Amino acid sequence: MTKIDKHIYLTNEQYVLINNYCRDKNITFSKAISEMIEKAFVYDNYINKLDSIQNDNKFIARKLSALYFLVEQMYSDFDFSNITDVTKSKALKEFNNKLRKGKLND
């Protein structure tokens, strides 16, 4: 470990917290500061990963909601006497375009 002589300013509350950490871990003040800095970086990485997972989950939930309403609409519109070719359906093409562009109102 390289010794770097830097001055840091702490509030009384921060100083007490660090001293308590030193006492609990039985380490020096400098070692406590180093460990806390490392833990802060790890914590930030975890928070960023959790935010990413949360955003992915929200995206999936919106798409599942759209899928649910589409299936609900499909069942309500079933007309077995008038089955058409799905590749020629104008409504289905319009829905797929909106779905791919993310413009569905969900």
Side-chain angles (χ1 to χ4, degrees), residues 11-85:
T11 65
N12 289 335
E13 294 83 13
Q14 292 169 333
Y15 185 74
V16 169
L17 289 173
I18 295 170
N19 276 332
N20 290 341
Y21 186 82
C22 292
R23 187 183 60 245
D24 293 344
K25 299 288 185 178
N26 196 21
I27 57 177
T28 65
F29 192 85
S30 294
K31 181 70 174 167
I33 295 291
S34 296
E35 284 185 10
M36 289 177 161
I37 290 170
E38 288 176 17
K39 288 180 180 184
F41 281 117
V42 169
Y43 175 79
D44 283 345
N45 287 335
Y46 285 143
I47 291 299
N48 290 338
K49 288 178 184 177
L50 286 173
D51 286 342
S52 175
I53 290 170
Q54 186 177 19
N55 290 336
D56 290 345
N57 284 342
K58 287 179 182 177
F59 176 79
I60 290 169
R62 285 194 312 269
K63 296 306 174 188
L64 284 175
S65 177
L67 182 62
Y68 172 79
F69 288 119
L70 177 64
V71 169
E72 190 177 63
Q73 184 67 42
M74 180 184 69
Y75 275 101
S76 71
D77 291 343
F78 264 154
D79 184 9
F80 290 109
S81 63
N82 191 13
I83 296 176
T84 60
D85 184 6

Side-chain angles (χ1 to χ4, degrees), residues 70 91-102 104:
L70 177 64
L92 184 58
K93 287 179 185 178
E94 183 179 330
F95 172 80
N96 284 332
N97 285 336
K98 286 182 180 181
L99 182 64
R100 288 186 191 101
K101 293 178 184 176
L104 286 178

